[in-house]
Amino acid sequence: MPGWVRPAALAVGVALVLLFPELVPNAYVLSAGVIVASYACTATAWSFMGGFTGYVSLGHAAFFGMGAYGTGILIRDLSLQPFLAWLLSGLIVLVITIPVGIAALRVRGASFVIVSISFVLILLLVSQAWEAFTGGANGLNVPRPFADLYRPDHHRIFFYLFVALLAVMLLTWWVIDRSRFGAGLKAVREDEDKAEALGVPTRDYKLAAYLISATFTALAGGMYALWFGDLDPIFQFSILLGAYMVLMALLGGVRHLFGPLVGAVVVGSALEYFKLEFGDTQLHLVFTAILLGIVVLFMPDGVIPAAGALLRRFGPQDTSIREITAEELLERNRAAAEREGAAAGRGGGKPSDGSGETP
Amino acid sequence: MDGTLLFQSLVLGVLLGGLYAILAAGLTLYFGVMRVVMIAHAAFVILAAYLAWWFHRETGLDPLFSMVLTVPLFFVIGVLIQRVLITRLRPATLTMMSVLLTFAIALLIEGLLGLFWSGTQRRVQLSYSGDNFEFFGARIAVVKLIAFGLAVLSLALLFLLMKKTRFGLALRATIQHREAAQLVGIRTDWVAGIGFGIGLATAAIGGTALSLDATIYPSLHWSWIGPLMAIIVVGGLGSIPGTAIAALVLGVGQSLLQVELGTTWAQTLFYVALFLTLMLRPQGFFGGRLAQRF
């Protein structure tokens, strides 16, 4: 791949994303675009933990919900400026996550997943039961930050806001990926015991990654609250939402900068399509389940590496000596020997038959 | 809280704890043999409850008879899940990926239940559904006692199987040290597969017991899997007696709290217990060494 392909593809991608609101036919598609952008934010935020350290959290919806409810409640009770409430809510989630993270990261693997799921379930219970604070099953109404805008303009602004948030996350990801901190996190993913033995402060690193991931997820949730304007415990603190994040990140490939984004575009568009076509049936659950099963069983590294492998198989051969078959090698050696023999002017010496060469 | 009420909720708590124990036993068994957290366990429980309800509606027979079909069926499904799906996963990421795989199975069951039998709430109506009897002043529903009896019976069978049979010996050996078990000639792959099958068979029993006394709907499994996972962590992952004790203690605790706080807040007990366990004793209160690293 020539050197200019990557930046060119990036520029085309950025241009397409920025022009998206101008290209869409109607406000419905635009609102679907906002949802996909919010999925891209949450999936990327998830991969700060799930991707770098390999700790799969099925409960990131907890942070999304807390960010959303925090924003809504701060606006309702303290009458804060909406975006100030949004930032403050992210900060509050950061503080809440510290003890949760310390408890959750005391254990590895299975127990960590159990804790992450339990955290969502407990918040679901609390937000349903504590009606005076969260509005319970009646939902929580979040006033719109731009009250005098029409709906399509509102969608357009929030599309760009989500994209800006995503850009900040991707930049953070890129910086961490190249840092010592990122290398430590990846060491945890590959072999935590060895990393610890080599002096990586695994607990602090994991906690830091967890906090970054949770805060970004909460910011995405708060942004969603400002955009959508209506919160319900069942949808904000839903395990399904957490599962979407995992599915998107894994599908795209957690080791790639744009993996979760690609996954979010694929899965998010498919989910919106299913909602449009099949409405309230449970078909989207079946679809999500089958897709998740396929990803886990057949391409746990995501579509980007899987597609890359496929391209390599059908594309031109790499110039590795291992790609040459024994006959081709024999042929080449014989030709070389003949040339050598002709150049030397005599047919003496042993003719090389190539059998001594290892391909 | 007066004495009768206290005693009543204590008895109900024990009955509930029995049900929790048989449901969590399967979960702890999977973890023991494969280090797999089977998120789909509760979904299979609800599936069994739906099958019992459907069996009762179609045949008019008592839903308990549906176990003749569901228990072998679930056993086979369990063996297949382990032999066909779980073994395909890479060993290095087995724990995390198996969680996602079984999560996908849970979603699939929930979605299919919704497609086939809609999201409507279902309940088995039996001639003895409303029957009660007095037990030292406490009123106990007959269906709850049947569910408890079923749970105790199957737990006892499971215990005997684990402790008294050759297969149980092989199963415990596989749980304790897989490689060592292989060295003495145990076919651990098949033992793990059958262990999975037995775990899923307990889900069939638990689901049938649940169908007698609960209103069921497709997404109900989410409100079961949380408490069940909390129980196996508190009990010490992989230990069946520990799981049973934790199930009883938490079941009684939930039942007692319910009187004061109502059902929703009482459920948070499980999560509080889970977080306290992780803070104080991550290996669980009754379990062995297994949980320390997982």
Side-chain angles (χ1 to χ4, degrees), chain B residues 138-279:
Chain B
R139 297 204 70 79
I140 297 161
V142 172
V143 283
K144 280 196 201 298
L145 198 71
I146 294 176
F148 181 72
L150 214 54
V152 170
L153 193 68
S154 36
L155 267 179
L157 277 178
L158 188 62
F159 189 75
L160 284 179
L161 180 80
M162 297 280 283
K163 288 283 182 191
K164 298 287 176 198
T165 65
R166 237 180 116 70
F167 172 75
L169 197 64
L171 190 62
R172 279 184 292 141
T174 308
I175 291 175
Q176 278 172 11
H177 202 300
R178 208 184 169 88
E179 284 80 17
Q182 276 167 351
L183 282 178
V184 296
I186 296 170
R187 295 174 66 187
T188 51
D189 285 353
W190 276 105
V191 170
I194 293 171
F196 236 79
I198 294 172
L200 211 60
T202 65
I205 298 171
T208 314
L210 184 72
S211 77
L212 296 176
D213 188 37
T215 305
I216 49 175
Y217 47 92
S219 62
L220 179 63
H221 68 107
W222 293 122
S223 43
W224 277 90
I225 192 66
L228 293 182
M229 290 190 306
I231 287 169
I232 66 166
V233 172
V234 173
L237 286 163
S239 146
I240 291 181
T243 301
I245 296 170
L248 272 183
V249 170
L250 290 175
V252 170
Q254 185 194 13
S255 194
L256 291 178
L257 280 179
Q258 215 153 327
V259 183
E260 290 286 316
L261 302 171
T263 43
T264 315
W265 285 107
Q267 260 219 313
T268 56
L269 168 74
F270 288 96
Y271 306 114
V272 173
L274 173 67
F275 279 93
L276 283 181
T277 306
L278 291 181
M279 286 307 238

Side-chain angles (χ1 to χ4, degrees), chain A residues 54-56 58 103 106-111 113-115 117-118 121-122 125-126 129 193 239-240 243 246 250 282-283 285-286 288-290 292-293 296-298 300-301, chain B residues 31 37 39 85 88-90 95-97 99-101 103-104 107-108 110-112 114-115 222 226 229 232-233 237 264-265 267-268 271-272 274-275 278-279 282 293-294:
Chain A
Y55 275 64
V56 170
L58 271 168
R106 276 179 67 104
V107 284
R108 292 185 196 173
S111 301
V113 185
I114 292 179
V115 175
I117 296 178
S118 306
L121 291 172
I122 198 173
L125 283 177
V126 169
D193 288 325
I239 295 193
L240 201 56
V246 182
L250 280 188
Q282 300 290 301
L283 220 54
L285 284 185
V286 177
T288 310
I290 291 175
L292 184 58
V296 168
L297 282 174
F298 301 110
D301 291 328
Chain B
F31 189 84
V37 179
I39 306 275
L85 297 178
R88 285 191 64 99
L89 300 171
R90 289 177 200 158
T95 309
M96 291 300 186
M97 286 301 164
V99 168
L100 295 178
L101 189 64
F103 185 91
L107 275 187
L108 188 66
E110 184 187 340
L112 291 178
L115 282 181
W222 293 122
M229 290 190 306
I232 66 166
V233 172
L237 286 163
T264 315
W265 285 107
Q267 260 219 313
T268 56
Y271 306 114
V272 173
L274 173 67
F275 279 93
L278 291 181
M279 286 307 238
R293 302 197 4 96
F294 292 97

Side-chain angles (χ1 to χ4, degrees), chain A residues 34 37 83 144-146 152-164 222-228:
Chain A
V34 180
F83 288 94
R144 294 186 167 195
F146 312 106
D153 296 321
H154 194 255
H155 290 331
R156 183 167 299 136
I157 288 192
F158 271 93
F159 181 79
Y160 287 124
L161 283 172
F162 272 118
V163 169
M223 192 68 89
Y224 177 86
L226 291 177
W227 172 64
F228 198 70

Side-chain angles (χ1 to χ4, degrees), chain A residues 30-352:
Chain A
L30 185 56
S31 78
V34 180
I35 292 178
V36 171
S38 81
Y39 279 147
C41 286
T42 53
T44 308
W46 180 88
S47 91
F48 279 98
M49 187 67 193
F52 277 127
T53 69
Y55 275 64
V56 170
S57 155
L58 271 168
H60 259 50
F63 307 119
F64 187 87
M66 281 199 292
Y69 268 96
T71 308
I73 289 170
L74 283 174
I75 296 176
R76 183 193 67 188
D77 289 353
L78 302 179
S79 319
L80 288 181
Q81 201 276 333
F83 288 94
L84 191 67
W86 172 71
L87 269 181
L88 196 60
S89 160
L91 208 64
I92 291 171
V93 173
L94 175 73
V95 173
I96 294 176
T97 311
I98 293 174
V100 175
I102 291 174
L105 292 169
R106 276 179 67 104
V107 284
R108 292 185 196 173
S111 301
F112 177 78
V113 185
I114 292 179
V115 175
S116 73
I117 296 178
S118 306
F119 193 45
V120 183
L121 291 172
I122 198 173
L123 284 173
L124 175 63
L125 283 177
V126 169
S127 63
Q128 278 174 328
W130 198 357
E131 238 168 85
F133 191 57
T134 63
N138 296 326
L140 177 72
N141 211 331
V142 184
R144 294 186 167 195
F146 312 106
D148 47 346
L149 279 185
Y150 288 117
R151 199 164 272 272
D153 296 321
H154 194 255
H155 290 331
R156 183 167 299 136
I157 288 192
F158 271 93
F159 181 79
Y160 287 124
L161 283 172
F162 272 118
V163 169
L165 182 61
L166 182 63
V168 173
M169 286 187 205
L170 289 175
L171 194 68
T172 315
W173 205 100
W174 189 81
V175 169
I176 292 179
D177 194 36
R178 270 150 190 75
S179 69
R180 198 183 168 76
F181 172 53
L185 291 178
K186 283 183 249 177
V188 168
R189 178 179 71 197
E190 302 305 332
D191 192 328
E192 188 162 349
D193 288 325
K194 285 199 189 96
E196 207 165 342
L198 287 172
V200 176
T202 50
R203 200 199 66 161
D204 297 348
Y205 274 19
K206 282 188 295 182
L207 187 61
Y210 198 60
L211 292 178
I212 294 171
S213 181
T215 309
F216 274 135
T217 313
L219 289 176
M223 192 68 89
Y224 177 86
L226 291 177
W227 172 64
F228 198 70
D230 192 28
L231 304 177
D232 186 293
I234 293 181
F235 291 108
Q236 308 315 316
F237 295 110
S238 103
I239 295 193
L240 201 56
L241 182 65
Y244 287 156
M245 295 181 206
V246 182
L247 173 59
M248 288 163 184
L250 280 188
L251 182 92
V254 286
R255 289 166 193 225
H256 292 256
L257 174 59
F258 295 111
L261 170 59
V262 170
V265 171
V266 173
V267 179
S269 323
L271 283 173
E272 285 307 300
Y273 173 78
F274 266 78
K275 264 182 216 156
L276 190 65
E277 285 292 305
F278 303 105
D280 281 337
T281 66
Q282 300 290 301
L283 220 54
H284 67 278
L285 284 185
V286 177
F287 160 77
T288 310
I290 291 175
L291 195 58
L292 184 58
I294 290 174
V295 169
V296 168
L297 282 174
F298 301 110
M299 40 184 192
D301 291 328
V303 279
I304 294 182
L310 206 65
L311 273 182
R312 269 195 299 284
R313 188 185 291 178
F314 291 120
Q317 298 259 305
D318 283 345
T319 50
S320 152
I321 53 161
R322 294 190 180 278
E323 302 282 319
I324 300 172
T325 63
E327 287 96 71
E328 283 170 344
L329 193 71
L330 197 66
E331 201 63 28
R332 191 195 286 176
N333 285 346
R334 192 166 289 153
E338 275 164 19
R339 261 204 312 280
E340 228 166 73
R346 56 192 165 93
K350 275 186 201 159
S352 167

Side-chain angles (χ1 to χ4, degrees), chain B residues 77-89:
Chain B
I77 295 176
V79 174
L80 287 179
I81 287 180
Q82 201 278 331
R83 298 304 302 151
V84 178
L85 297 178
I86 306 277
T87 42
R88 285 191 64 99
L89 300 171

